[in-house]
Amino acid sequence: MQVWDRDVRAVPTSQTKVASWVSSRRVPARAKQCIFLTMEGGPSHIDTFDPKPKLDELHLQEFQRGGEQRSAMESGKRYYVRSPFRFRRAGACGADIAENWTHLSEQVDRICFYRGCQVDSVNHPTAMYQLNTGNRFGGDPAVGAWTLYGLGSLNENVPAFVVIPDASLPQGGASNWGNGFLPPKFQGTTLRSSGSPILDLEPRSEITSEHQQANLELLRSFNERHASTRANHDELQARIDAYQLAFRMQAEVPQLLDLNQETQTTRTAYGIDQEPTDRFGRKCLLARRMIEQGVRFVQLYAGTWDSHDYIERAHGHLVRSVDRPIAALLSDLADRGLLDTTLVVWCGEFGRSPDNGVRGGTAYGRDHNPRAMTIWLAGGGSAAGTTVGATDETGAEAVECVHHVRDLHVTLLRLMGLDDRKLTFFHGGRHKQLSQFGGEVIPELLG
Amino acid sequence: MWAFEPLDATHAWEWSLPNIDPIDDYFRRNESIQPAPRADRRTLIRRVTYDLLGLPPTPDEIDAFLTDPADDRTAFGTLVDRLLASPHYGEQWGRHWLDVARYADSAGFANDYERGNAWRYRDYVVRAFNNDKPYDQFIVEQIAGDERNAEDPESLIAVGFLRLGPWELTGMEVPRIARQRFLDDVTDSVGQVFLGQMLQCARCHDHKFDPIATRDYYSLQAAFATTQFADRPAPFLPHENQIGFAERRFLEQRRAWYESLLDELNERSIVAARAWFAERQLDSTPFEKLAADGLAYTTIRNRLRGQGISEEDLPPRHAGFAPEHFGLERVARKGLERLSFRLERYEPFALSVYSGASIARGSIAAPIRLPDDRLQGTIDATHVLIGGDPFSPGDEVEPGVIAVVAARAAAPFHLADETPPRLELPREVDGRRLALAHWIASPENPLTARVMVNRVWLWHFGRPLAANPNNFGATGGRPSHPELLDQLALRFIDDGWSIKQLHRRILLSETYMRSSRIAEPSPAEPMSEESYAAFRPRRLEAEELRDAMLAASGELNRVIGGPPTCPEINNEVAYQPRMVMGTFAEAWQPSSTRALRHRRSIYGLKLRGLLDPWQEVFNAPSPDLSCERRESSTVTPQAFALFNNRQVSQRSLALAMRLEALELDQGETISQAFLLTLGRPPTEAEVAAFMEHWRAMTNRHQTLDFQADVLPTSIPREALEENTGEPFHYEEPLEVAAEFEARCLVRGCHATHARLSRSLPRAIQQQ
């Protein structure tokens, strides 16, 4: 496995040195792979996993704000609004969960709910960049890129960091899975549910494999002739290898994406061919297939959860579309013995506010809230069957086990066996890291 | 701290090329390894033409150089002079500068609004390099062009540099944070680009080993506290190219579509409102009166509210809207907003700034114009921000320069011609930046010349003399060759900050002309990373690779300058829905004519939210940060991009047809292909292998039926409606497709056509 190349200037080039370089950055851990379920738009913790009965009491009373107004979302008259969803306690652990998560409620004993996370930004693209890269302003490597940089790839014939966006790219675009200042090989590869899964994967329809093989053969013979007169030209050899790998990927990637190889029972369990679960169900099933094939990091997007109005209808629809697929993914991974080594993360870029500017009716929703959110982890050595941290009585602010998202990043790396303090890359005059300036592990999230 | 020490002028080298070659002497003194011989002329012309123009030399140019009877060094000098005089030189070296300047044609973040007039800055840079604008003047214009000469459109365009970072202000965010984001970007960018100082480290707190204090950072930032955004009137200059202005008609078609959508939705609401009044048997006379005046539904509603009619007695805000209508309304309304930015391409305004008071704004959704009174508003004071947080102001600071740099200078700084030397910048609203710019562009500033010389060296040799071109501070790598760096910097200043003169001094040295292969490679003493005993070949950068393919295929349009054009990019990416705030961005539509599509890559529209994946895979940097040095890595998608990409395949077909049109025999055709692509004739073995391959492929081609590509004239969009979380559908029209020129690759050569129809598959001719 050739993980490192000459371009990674910080990394030694000889194989033995690489092994010690990698091991010096590793810590013992169970998770080898990660599935990151990104709920784009900011799902409401108050309406999903963090019930606030106090809001029933305060419903439509005027919202009292302290401190300086910092955004247009805080202007005008605002009212507390209650959750339109009822809650229950589920599983042996008795986790709080809104009743409309009918399938996920059966999986809560596998889940660690965390209510203490906070972010800096009240705005989508900056919050999304922070969640994905640690840096609000973009341009830094994504979590998946860091993971690859630290752990390398498990299967050379498939991309190691795969992103499946929703119908449209999220705000901020492809920088959300960029390699930043890391070499481009660590960039997330977007797979499409329709069309060619990887850009330019397939030759023009008129060009057959035989035709292409002939062209490649000619190219290879000239490359090798050229190489034979230039000793120790690693870059040239890497280019020759890249063509061979490309040819293999052309064969393997379509296989990987072929959901017809799955049984009808499995397809049904994920909600495929049913509405409204088909779209996300396919992604979740693809994620499991990719984990089996050794993809290191899979990120799936679902959204948009940005329900400023009509939260009952909007969140209701979204929960229906992801509930069954996510529950199926967790139980399928567990059945196949993969959950232990696969860390599953569910989160948005921020939570939502207990108040809204709309009074009465069903039109109300919730605005952005960087001070409180619920994220959850499952598998990969996370603390199954627990709920960690708490928000205040209206869900406005995290008050127990409060951590900045950078600590969540450090914890994710820790679960994957990487130490944020050591997983650094020299760029722009300093050794940069995912947490930006360092952070701490949140021990409560570790199993 | 080496970079802050003054340049030592006491031992200046003697330069008198071609007889005295101090760079080569320097390396011979410092390296024990026997250097490689001078490269042959064929190698040299290819190396230096790509280097200076980013294009391959033509077979004729190669011939002329090979047969030049002058000695190698004289002939090479003539060649360098010819290349430096080429208008394509400014495109190639301007492009390097645009990497550093974090240039893009859009603003990034949630809306990623186009910066319609940013192209005028891009062309300004190209012109500056072509005209060999003295570097000190280039600096002053980019930092303070407006203060230097507000009547000069060129200066107003140049200062757009300050605004090139990603920036927006939406209603969802905090204006003060957005403003601070600009201030941090501009402080850090000026620091990195011109002074090689990574100032952002000093933003939050002092560092033990970093001589730049947090106070310095905010003093420098105070120079920009009165810098305000405006797209200022700036008449088009005679040398600004208006090619492509005809494409404006497509944007007008798009505007008409959005307006018709809004009209339909408005009509829907009015009809629904009438039904609402009727159902409740309420008096609709006031409503009808306003409706008869042709007012929009929302306006009517607001007027009625103004007349004292209560909310309960009015039909709802979006009367008659089903979920998809909410979505469509946003598509149209936001689309019009976006168009107002895109149409700036064709207007005589410059992306620019002025010095004045800050105006309170909640959001920015249209190009900003100059206010009537520049001093109306708040003159912002600058404070040290505790932890970099704009809500935690510490001590107030005055505008100033970086103390440690000024303190070590050999001679006192003169901020402007008249002012006495000092560390403070003016405190007035005007003139802060101009004084700062003069301080930076001063020969006494030890950083400025060193930083630029290092960049130029990097772009010639693929590696810098000081490891981090944007970082000459405590954390940057020390120079591998400090003496050489300083001597070049001294010479650069003495040459009147002439970049072309700097090129000559470097290129005409034997060091640049060396072969890439050492005669006696010694395993005991391999060439170190720092050695210049042999020339290191480099890979073409993304833009060079595309331009070279267009040059080889004969399709390259060599026109200089003008508004951005849209080359073809991967269709799936072009049509991929892309979320922007509250709606979806318009699809990428390739320009209508081949001439526009086949312009050099530097002229391609560069959107922060939609980078050309083909360029990305070949390491074109993200424009969000200043890029000091491009990566050059080998990844598998590059193989896909070269082998399967449609544009690459079209280039190869065009090259094939160009060769066919020459009507040469097979051997000569192969030779010509080698000359056009590799700049050398093939060996006998290569000819034989290609003949064989050609024969096999011709047989295969006869069984093929190539389909001509047909562009869709509209694209179905499925989007999730924010209010309901449910999908909705609409059809986005693709205006340009109707006029997309894609018929024939070879023009007006009937004989060739006849021949081609025998040897090439049908549809190639139709592309």
Side-chain angles (χ1 to χ4, degrees):
Chain A
M1 183 178 75
Q2 192 227 327
V3 181
W4 315 110
D5 65 21
R6 293 159 48 89
D7 302 306
V8 186
R9 281 184 282 271
V11 178
T13 43
S14 94
Q15 283 301 315
T16 46
K17 281 187 192 160
V18 168
S20 85
W21 186 88
V22 171
S23 67
S24 72
R25 271 146 190 84
R26 284 203 180 160
V27 285
R30 277 195 278 172
K32 293 187 171 71
Q33 290 162 279
C34 180
I35 300 175
F36 206 95
L37 307 170
T38 313
M39 304 294 115
E40 182 276 325
S44 167
H45 54 299
I46 298 169
D47 303 287
T48 51
F49 307 115
D50 191 4
K52 292 296 154 191
K54 180 77 177 174
L55 289 176
D56 292 335
E57 223 174 277
L58 295 171
H59 189 56
L60 298 187
Q61 287 182 32
E62 198 171 323
F63 175 69
Q64 303 300 321
R65 185 194 316 107
E68 188 165 0
Q69 184 193 325
R70 292 189 180 191
S71 105
M73 278 178 292
E74 297 174 359
S75 60
K77 237 183 198 192
R78 307 182 62 80
Y79 308 90
Y80 288 106
V81 289
R82 70 178 167 225
S83 175
F85 304 104
R86 291 203 303 183
F87 278 76
R88 57 175 290 208
R89 281 175 172 274
C93 65
D96 295 306
I97 185 165
E99 282 186 350
N100 54 338
W101 292 93
T102 52
H103 298 276
L104 193 68
S105 60
E106 289 164 20
Q107 303 293 328
V108 293
D109 290 332
R110 297 192 162 118
I111 294 177
C112 167
F113 292 96
Y114 175 50
R115 297 168 172 172
C117 192
Q118 294 187 329
V119 299
D120 293 324
S121 179
V122 74
N123 205 6
H124 294 293
T126 38
M128 193 53 98
Y129 282 153
Q130 188 167 44
L131 172 72
N132 278 321
T133 71
N135 179 349
R136 268 182 290 168
F137 305 129
D140 275 18
V143 184
W146 280 113
T147 309
L148 267 201
Y149 170 59
L151 297 177
S153 74
L154 290 162
N155 177 354
E156 280 234 334
N157 295 352
V158 292
F161 170 19
V162 171
V163 181
I164 311 185
D166 209 332
S168 48
L169 298 191
Q171 285 185 23
S175 299
N176 281 301
W177 46 87
N179 52 291
F181 43 74
L182 293 177
K185 66 192 296 180
F186 301 117
Q187 190 176 81
T189 300
T190 47
L191 286 190
R192 291 133 208 287
S193 30
S194 61
S196 96
I198 295 178
L199 289 180
D200 299 322
L201 177 69
E202 302 287 345
R204 302 179 61 114
S205 55
E206 304 86 356
I207 312 275
T208 62
S209 166
E210 161 225 347
H211 190 183
Q212 195 166 41
Q213 186 89 62
N215 282 330
L216 277 168
E217 210 34 56
L218 183 70
L219 183 67
R220 195 183 52 79
S221 72
F222 283 111
N223 273 335
E224 282 176 359
R225 188 182 309 217
H226 188 74
S228 69
T229 63
R230 287 162 178 79
N232 303 323
H233 198 333
D234 314 2
E235 288 169 47
L236 184 58
Q237 191 54 48
R239 256 171 279 165
I240 295 171
D241 294 347
Y243 277 101
Q244 302 305 318
L245 173 56
F247 194 70
R248 289 199 302 275
M249 276 174 83
Q250 280 182 183
E252 291 212 13
V253 170
Q255 291 284 316
L256 177 63
L257 299 184
D258 183 7
L259 295 186
N260 293 322
Q261 297 180 5
E262 298 286 331
T263 65
Q264 191 55 47
T265 318
T266 305
R267 292 167 59 94
T268 308
Y270 279 85
I272 292 171
D273 303 327
Q274 304 156 53
E275 286 306 333
T277 48
D278 182 73
R279 183 203 294 266
F280 202 65
R282 285 176 184 275
K283 290 186 195 167
C284 286
L285 184 49
L286 280 178
R288 194 219 75 214
R289 290 176 64 86
M290 288 191 270
I291 292 297
E292 285 177 318
Q293 289 303 310
V295 175
R296 182 70 79 176
F297 199 100
V298 183
Q299 186 177 32
L300 310 183
Y301 279 83
T304 168
W305 295 75
D306 195 19
S307 308
H308 289 281
D309 313 289
Y310 301 100
I311 195 164
E312 181 172 13
R313 195 162 63 172
H315 263 51
H317 179 83
L318 284 159
V319 170
R320 274 196 304 284
S321 62
V322 304
D323 173 39
R324 182 174 188 138
I326 294 176
L329 175 64
L330 294 183
S331 78
D332 198 8
L333 286 172
D335 291 349
R336 290 164 193 258
L338 292 167
L339 191 58
D340 206 34
T341 54
T342 304
L343 175 66
V344 182
V345 184
W346 181 98
C347 68
E349 67 267 42
F350 40 55
R352 302 201 80 85
S353 60
D355 59 299
N356 191 236
V358 180
R359 184 189 167 90
T362 58
Y364 71 81
R366 300 187 188 280
D367 299 328
H368 308 170
N369 183 2
R371 313 290 301 162
M373 62 198 289
T374 299
I375 63 114
W376 59 252
L377 313 176
S382 59
T386 62
T387 296
V388 176
T391 54
D392 62 14
E393 59 177 4
T394 64
E397 177 139 17
V399 292
E400 261 178 43
C401 192
V402 183
H403 288 270
H404 188 271
V405 66
R406 73 175 79 92
D407 295 338
L408 180 68
H409 285 144
V410 174
T411 310
L412 296 184
L413 291 181
R414 174 70 183 68
L415 284 163
M416 299 292 293
L418 292 164
D419 182 343
D420 170 74
R421 287 168 305 174
K422 293 177 182 162
L423 187 71
T424 62
F425 191 88
F426 190 78
H427 172 261
R430 64 184 185 85
H431 292 277
K432 292 192 175 172
Q433 63 204 101
L434 173 59
S435 66
Q436 306 287 303
F437 301 101
E440 52 181 279
V441 170
I442 309 170
E444 292 88 342
L445 305 185
L446 307 181
Chain B
M1 188 63 61
W2 63 273
F4 297 148
E5 299 299 333
L7 291 167
D8 181 4
T10 52
H11 301 100
W13 289 352
E14 191 187 337
W15 298 78
S16 157
L17 286 163
N19 307 319
I20 301 176
D21 182 352
I23 297 179
D24 187 53
D25 290 347
Y26 169 83
F27 283 109
R28 284 178 187 275
R29 275 201 313 277
N30 286 282
E31 290 192 16
S32 55
I33 189 167
Q34 177 65 31
R38 188 183 295 159
D40 60 52
R41 286 195 183 191
R42 199 180 279 287
T43 305
L44 283 177
I45 186 172
R46 189 170 169 82
R47 176 185 298 171
V48 75
T49 308
Y50 269 119
D51 184 352
L52 290 179
L53 308 189
L55 293 170
T58 65
D60 287 347
E61 288 163 355
I62 296 172
D63 243 17
F65 182 56
L66 293 184
T67 53
D68 186 337
D71 66 273
D72 273 1
R73 293 180 65 92
T74 313
F76 191 66
T78 314
L79 171 62
V80 166
D81 283 340
R82 172 174 73 72
L83 295 173
L84 288 175
S86 160
H88 301 305
Y89 157 76
E91 294 174 322
Q92 168 78 345
W93 281 73
R95 188 176 63 77
H96 289 318
W97 185 259
L98 296 179
D99 272 2
V100 174
R102 76 223 183 281
Y103 176 85
D105 292 303
S106 76
F109 291 119
N111 284 297
D112 200 24
Y113 288 134
E114 190 168 315
R115 286 181 178 157
N117 42 30
W119 66 268
R120 300 184 70 188
Y121 171 81
R122 176 246 285 148
D123 284 0
Y124 157 81
V125 170
V126 172
R127 281 196 298 278
F129 277 94
N130 274 338
N131 299 337
D132 198 16
K133 179 167 282 185
Y135 182 63
D136 55 347
Q137 187 188 339
F138 189 51
I139 295 172
V140 173
E141 288 175 354
Q142 290 180 87
I143 297 178
D146 59 319
E147 293 189 330
R148 179 176 173 269
N149 184 359
E151 303 306 313
D152 172 27
E154 190 88 342
S155 296
L156 293 179
I157 294 167
V159 78
F161 167 84
L162 301 177
R163 289 180 63 187
L164 291 181
W167 191 84
E168 71 177 359
L169 175 59
T170 76
M172 289 290 158
E173 66 181 331
V174 189
R176 201 196 296 182
I177 293 180
R179 173 71 184 169
Q180 190 58 40
R181 225 169 51 218
F182 160 71
L183 290 171
D184 287 333
D185 170 74
V186 79
T187 311
D188 197 41
S189 295
V190 166
Q192 284 188 47
V193 171
F194 300 109
L195 298 169
Q197 296 299 312
M198 306 291 290
L199 299 175
Q200 87 263 39
C201 296
R203 190 167 68 92
C204 302
H205 48 93
D206 291 335
H207 293 80
K208 211 169 180 179
F209 301 107
D210 193 340
I212 300 197
T214 300
R215 212 181 169 79
D216 280 337
Y217 176 84
Y218 288 100
S219 299
L220 193 64
Q221 188 163 96
F224 302 98
T226 57
T227 301
Q228 313 295 346
F229 296 169
D231 296 334
R232 302 180 64 160
F236 287 117
L237 301 164
H239 41 264
E240 282 187 297
N241 196 336
Q242 299 188 19
I243 184 178
F245 272 39
E247 292 217 309
R248 181 182 186 131
R249 70 185 182 283
F250 298 117
L251 299 190
E252 298 295 349
Q253 288 173 28
R254 176 57 66 115
R255 170 146 68 190
W257 178 60
Y258 288 140
E259 282 170 351
S260 74
L261 273 182
L262 288 179
D263 286 349
E264 281 167 33
L265 292 167
N266 191 54
E267 191 51 34
R268 171 176 295 276
S269 286
I270 286 182
V271 169
R274 285 194 182 115
W276 188 91
F277 282 116
E279 201 178 294
R280 284 163 187 73
Q281 299 183 332
L282 288 171
D283 176 22
S284 67
T285 323
F287 174 85
E288 291 297 350
K289 243 181 166 168
L290 293 169
D293 291 345
L295 293 177
Y297 175 68
T298 317
T299 318
I300 298 175
R301 234 179 142 270
N302 290 342
R303 293 268 179 94
L304 293 174
R305 296 262 349 236
Q307 292 171 15
I309 300 181
S310 74
E311 189 68 42
E312 287 73 28
D313 293 333
L314 283 176
R317 265 175 65 216
H318 296 291
F321 272 32
E324 81 226 46
H325 300 122
F326 284 97
L328 282 175
E329 192 270 342
R330 274 178 218 254
V331 167
R333 178 166 46 83
K334 291 280 194 174
L336 285 173
E337 249 172 54
R338 302 177 67 72
L339 264 180
S340 71
F341 288 96
R342 297 172 73 194
L343 283 163
E344 284 284 279
R345 290 178 195 170
Y346 313 112
E347 300 297 332
F349 286 88
L351 180 79
S352 194
V353 300
Y354 63 93
S355 295
S358 294
I359 299 170
R361 286 191 175 95
S363 71
I364 287 169
I368 310 168
R369 299 294 184 228
L370 272 182
D372 296 333
D373 179 358
R374 290 191 296 124
L375 298 177
Q376 191 80 45
T378 321
I379 307 290
D380 289 333
T382 301
H383 295 264
V384 170
L385 300 180
I386 312 298
D389 177 1
F391 292 97
S392 307
D395 293 348
E396 187 170 337
V397 293
E398 299 296 342
V401 301
I402 302 170
V404 61
V405 180
R408 300 204 191 182
F413 282 101
H414 294 266
L415 295 177
D417 295 344
E418 299 83 18
T419 52
R422 60 178 188 180
L423 284 176
E424 301 85 33
L425 298 169
R427 298 180 184 191
E428 293 75 28
V429 170
D430 277 303
R432 298 179 183 192
R433 281 182 285 117
L434 188 59
L436 172 66
H438 281 300
W439 177 75
I440 292 175
S442 151
E444 281 91 36
N445 191 317
L447 294 168
T448 313
R450 280 186 176 123
V451 167
M452 188 57 181
V453 160
N454 191 50
R455 292 193 196 285
V456 170
W457 185 276
L458 163 71
W459 292 326
H460 282 309
F461 286 96
R463 52 207 165 119
L465 291 169
N468 301 101
N470 273 356
N471 185 358
F472 276 34
T475 54
R478 289 186 60 83
S480 53
H481 302 88
E483 185 190 348
L484 175 57
L485 178 65
D486 279 14
Q487 291 294 335
L488 282 168
L490 281 170
R491 200 58 241 175
F492 179 44
I493 295 170
D494 280 353
D495 284 338
W497 303 88
S498 162
I499 293 171
K500 285 192 178 178
Q501 201 53 32
L502 180 60
H503 289 312
R504 285 191 190 92
R505 297 198 183 281
I506 294 172
L507 298 178
L508 299 183
S509 76
E510 285 293 337
T511 307
Y512 182 82
M513 296 167 72
R514 287 202 197 302
S515 163
S516 62
R517 300 164 85 177
I518 297 190
E520 296 285 327
S522 149
E525 195 190 12
M527 221 173 89
S528 76
E529 283 295 317
E530 291 178 356
S531 172
Y532 284 83
F535 193 85
R536 272 163 211 264
R538 68 179 180 98
R539 300 182 70 183
L540 294 185
E541 293 180 343
E543 294 89 338
E544 293 171 316
L545 189 54
R546 176 176 171 276
D547 294 352
M549 288 193 293
L550 286 166
S553 71
E555 297 169 288
L556 184 67
N557 174 0
R558 295 179 186 247
V559 160
I560 313 286
T565 60
C566 298
E568 288 177 272
I569 66 171
N570 183 297
N571 274 346
E572 292 181 56
V573 172
Y575 302 144
Q576 159 80 44
R578 179 162 71 95
M579 220 186 282
V580 287
M581 194 168 161
T583 185
F584 302 89
E586 50 290 329
W588 176 279
Q589 297 193 58
S591 293
S592 55
T593 64
R594 280 195 301 270
L596 286 175
R597 292 199 297 276
H598 296 165
R599 302 198 58 201
R600 292 196 69 179
S601 302
I602 187 178
Y603 301 118
L605 181 68
K606 196 166 182 179
L607 300 177
R608 289 192 150 92
L610 183 76
L611 299 173
D612 177 352
W614 199 86
Q615 288 203 23
E616 260 189 306
V617 86
F618 289 105
N619 305 317
S622 142
D624 289 343
L625 303 169
S626 169
C627 172
E628 60 179 19
R629 178 181 188 177
R630 289 195 178 194
E631 284 288 338
S632 160
S633 67
T634 299
V635 295
T636 317
Q638 289 167 353
F640 291 139
L642 288 175
F643 237 71
N644 296 334
N645 179 275
R646 230 176 47 88
Q647 277 70 55
V648 175
S649 132
Q650 285 182 346
R651 295 300 80 74
S652 23
L653 292 175
L655 173 60
M657 299 187 76
R658 177 184 190 177
L659 293 168
E660 281 272 351
L662 298 174
E663 304 204 28
L664 304 168
D665 71 28
Q666 281 205 328
E668 287 169 344
T669 303
I670 290 168
S671 276
Q672 195 59 27
F674 266 74
L675 284 173
L676 286 171
T677 52
L678 300 176
R680 67 170 173 87
T683 63
E684 268 176 42
E686 283 165 340
V687 173
F690 272 85
M691 294 270 247
E692 172 55 26
H693 191 66
W694 191 348
R695 192 191 52 72
M697 284 296 131
T698 305
N699 289 341
R700 216 196 111 56
H701 279 171
Q702 276 156 5
T703 68
L704 289 186
D705 188 15
F706 277 80
Q707 299 300 311
D709 296 301
V710 180
L711 289 192
T713 53
S714 70
I715 182 131
R717 290 280 185 227
E718 184 192 353
L720 291 180
E721 217 302 293
E722 190 169 304
N723 281 334
T724 58
E726 289 167 23
F728 76 103
H729 304 264
Y730 65 99
E731 196 78 13
E732 182 183 345
L734 301 175
E735 305 86 356
V736 187
E739 299 184 36
F740 190 79
E741 175 198 31
R743 277 184 302 282
C744 180
L745 288 167
V746 175
R747 286 157 294 230
C749 181
H750 298 291
T752 312
H753 269 273
R755 264 162 51 81
L756 282 170
S757 54
R758 287 195 301 277
S759 63
L760 282 172
R762 280 194 309 282
I764 294 178
Q765 296 158 52
Q766 292 158 12
Q767 292 220 343

